[in-house]
Amino acid sequence: RDAFAEAAAALPPTERRALRPARIMAGIYQDLLARMRQGGFRVFAIRYRVPWSRKCRILLRELFA
């Protein structure tokens, strides 16, 4: 989590639009990390996924931010 926050803070505001795809993927990976944390990081027993609907919400949030 700290690495995601640090990376977001380092993004120059002037490059925000150019880095939109990176921000979208970061949002998806943050959600995936949260799911893994909730599941106890049982990565060999559980296949963690971010639902398509959640990915769409992340996409829309970044497009209209």
Side-chain angles (χ1 to χ4, degrees):
R1 284 185 317 196
D2 294 339
F4 282 115
E6 191 176 320
L11 292 177
T14 56
E15 299 296 323
R16 188 166 176 82
R17 185 173 180 164
L19 294 172
R20 185 179 288 159
R23 291 192 337 262
I24 292 167
M25 289 308 302
I28 292 170
Y29 289 137
Q30 284 176 313
D31 194 273
L32 185 61
L33 179 62
R35 291 171 190 278
M36 291 168 69
R37 180 175 286 119
Q38 289 172 349
F41 291 101
R42 296 180 357 198
V43 296
F44 296 111
I46 299 172
R47 183 168 184 167
Y48 296 98
R49 294 180 178 211
V50 177
W52 182 82
S53 59
R54 178 69 182 136
K55 289 177 185 177
C56 286
R57 282 192 297 256
I58 292 168
L59 171 68
L60 292 173
R61 180 187 69 210
E62 289 299 331
L63 288 177
F64 295 107

